[in-house]
Amino acid sequence: MSVRLRFAPSPTGELHIGSVRTILYNHLFARQRGGRLILRIEDTDQERLVPGAVDSIYAGLHWLGITWDEGPREGGPHAPYVQSERLPLYQKHAQELVAKGAAYYCFCSKERLAELRRQQEARHELTRYDRHCRNIPVAEATARAKAESHVVRLKVPDEGTLSIEDLVHGHIEWQVNTIEDQVLLKSDGFPTYHLAVVVDDHVMGITHIMRGEEWVASVPKHLLIYRAFSWDIPPMAHFPSVLGPDGKKLSKRHGATAVAEFRKDAYLPEALINYLALVGWAPGSEEEIFSMDDLTRLWKIEQVQSSPGKWDKERLDFFNGVWIRRLSVDELVRRLEPFVPADWDRETLKRIVPHIQERMKTLKDAKDQIAFLFTDDITYDPKDLVPAKRDPAGTVEALAKVTVHLRYLEPFIATRIEAALKAVAEEMDWKQGDVNKPVRLAITGRTIGPPLYESLEVLGRDRSLQRIEGAMDALGKANS
RNA sequence: GGCCCGGUCGCCUAGUGGACUAGGGCGCUUCCCUUUCAAGGAAGAGGUCAGGGGUUCGAAUCCCCUCCGGGCUACCA
């Protein structure tokens, strides 16, 4: 039988980078076994819904190259894939649980619950539901439930132990008496997470449950529900969290956390996937540059770490650089599109890109490095034209020689330009760097940038000469 | 507080009783290359494997205790 996995985000905001890692692992597991992947929207908390969240989940996942087979917009044999559209299913199952004696109606008001909690806290007791409604006779409770506001609660047995063999953590065990009579169906008729996951995972034929570690604590409640329905319990894997650099929950304080932000910040999806896969998993070999296909082939759930990892932006940046360098020039130009002004000439862009490819950490870095080709507004302090231990007059002389050599150079290409500037250095008896420094500043307005000779070539003879002469003027004035 | 999960260089990690004088990558330092910056190459610093007890001829690897960190403890997911 082929595997069926699901990822089940809540539409409560932007897609978090930590959830992406979980989704990635689900994806890899399903894909490497030729299984099916299901996207299910868990929107059972009506108060936390954020408009547009589903759109951003779709956008983020598509951008990352994560694919799935069944979902709200794709449809599938178990539609609908949005929990708020499946309410009758959960209500029916809640009633069944009551009928089986595995759950009960509870009529306690929120006020009573709050007061109960307050008293328990005052007495330093465990704060949990006191089972006040647990022993109302079923007939009476059923009758009241028709007219009164109520919830359905799980009837947790008094004793016993529950356990799973987690795919990443191994054996985990709980004493049943540490578990609360959890609400399963809320008074608004919506299920809580606990009821909804169990019902949907079963009904949708999910064969492996893989989710974040924050869910382990609720596993025993789920186990009780499975047991009450006599359903098979799928194997589970709980992936460790991705924490902030300080060991706390990864949040906005630590920088970007939403997939959309990384896209906006000019990261490559390949890099993000590669980096993320390696937080919590390692292949055991010394390779670490992996595409989605590589990962699908190599990733093994047995190798997933059980300890949490920390977010390391420096390392992400490194992977981003690696993936930028792997792109073809044409592809790089395409990826640069959103990060470069629309009116910049694409032919020029294409000519300079090979020379900045290995100088970028993110796609955003390109713009500043090559702006000099697309504007004639170059500014700098003329004093900076003069190399260390040289003087303004000498610098003017050197620049003059440069203009002489470049004026009739044919063809005006990098190799010839290089020879010309070398000749100048020789004539001046200067280090090459001393000749190149003022030229670079003159034509780019910056002290660092793409290789000089190629920069001059792409800039073209006329604009190059103009700028160098401009520099000579500026120096002359500053000097007189 | 209770219940769970975890703890190998600053960070990601390899390691599953002997090849470990604990390996790789990021970051850092130095050097080489060199027209700047990168990229690339080379070298280096950095770890009492959280601490303490065991078990064993032998432990990062198995057991116990302690400490530290994280998650959960809602009519949130």
Side-chain angles (χ1 to χ4, degrees), chain A residues 196-217:
Chain A
V197 249
V198 173
V199 169
D200 280 343
D201 284 345
H202 178 261
V203 165
M204 294 183 176
I206 301 305
T207 62
H208 299 260
I209 296 174
M210 303 188 2
R211 80 249 278 192
E213 201 171 40
E214 67 270 25
W215 293 112
V216 293

Side-chain angles (χ1 to χ4, degrees), chain A residues 267-312:
Chain A
Y267 285 89
L268 260 35
E270 293 94 327
L272 208 46
I273 292 287
N274 193 162
Y275 165 73
L276 231 29
L278 258 14
V279 180
W281 171 80
S285 70
E286 283 174 4
E287 230 106 332
E288 56 180 4
I289 304 302
F290 301 121
S291 66
M292 188 72 92
D293 285 347
D294 296 332
L295 292 170
T296 304
R297 204 170 51 248
L298 296 171
W299 184 87
K300 289 195 186 69
I301 190 159
E302 295 80 11
Q303 296 170 320
V304 172
Q305 197 91 20
S306 56
S307 57
K310 289 179 186 164
W311 183 259
D312 181 359

Side-chain angles (χ1 to χ4, degrees), chain A residues 341-350 374:
Chain A
D343 61 352
W344 282 14
D345 176 62
R346 302 291 113 149
E347 271 314 304
T348 308
L349 185 60
K350 195 171 169 180
F374 305 93

Side-chain angles (χ1 to χ4, degrees), chain A residues 324-325 354-362 365 369 449-451:
Chain A
I324 284 177
R325 274 171 252 134
H355 307 297
I356 56 168
Q357 184 158 21
E358 58 199 26
R359 275 159 252 262
M360 283 189 266
K361 274 221 271 285
T362 73
D365 297 339
Q369 292 180 23

Side-chain angles (χ1 to χ4, degrees), chain A residues 10 30 72 150 234 241 254 419:
Chain A
S10 296
H150 62 275
S241 341
H254 304 110

Side-chain angles (χ1 to χ4, degrees), chain A residues 65-168:
Chain A
I66 288 171
T67 54
W68 57 96
D69 309 294
E70 299 170 26
R73 296 177 187 171
E74 296 71 19
H78 301 287
Y81 290 87
V82 177
Q83 290 186 326
S84 60
E85 296 168 18
R86 302 167 63 81
L87 265 23
L89 180 73
Y90 311 122
Q91 290 160 359
K92 187 191 109 196
H93 282 88
Q95 278 159 24
E96 260 181 62
L97 286 173
V98 173
K100 288 170 183 291
Y104 58 94
Y105 293 112
C106 168
F107 305 94
C108 294
S109 66
K110 288 188 177 166
E111 292 69 36
R112 191 185 101 80
L113 261 20
E115 173 60 15
L116 175 68
R117 162 172 300 264
R118 201 190 57 74
Q119 289 178 10
Q120 287 170 334
E121 275 168 4
R123 279 182 256 127
H124 298 289
E125 288 173 4
L126 246 46
T127 53
R128 64 156 118 166
Y129 181 58
D130 62 358
R131 299 182 163 182
H132 183 255
C133 295
R134 181 158 157 144
N135 296 315
I136 300 174
V138 183
E140 181 191 336
T142 309
R144 282 177 66 182
K146 293 201 170 74
E148 281 178 53
S149 174
H150 62 275
V151 301
V152 173
R153 281 184 186 272
L154 182 64
K155 192 185 270 183
V156 177
D158 291 322
E159 49 191 41
T161 66
L162 257 13
S163 69
I164 57 168
E165 299 306 320
D166 189 272
L167 264 23
V168 346

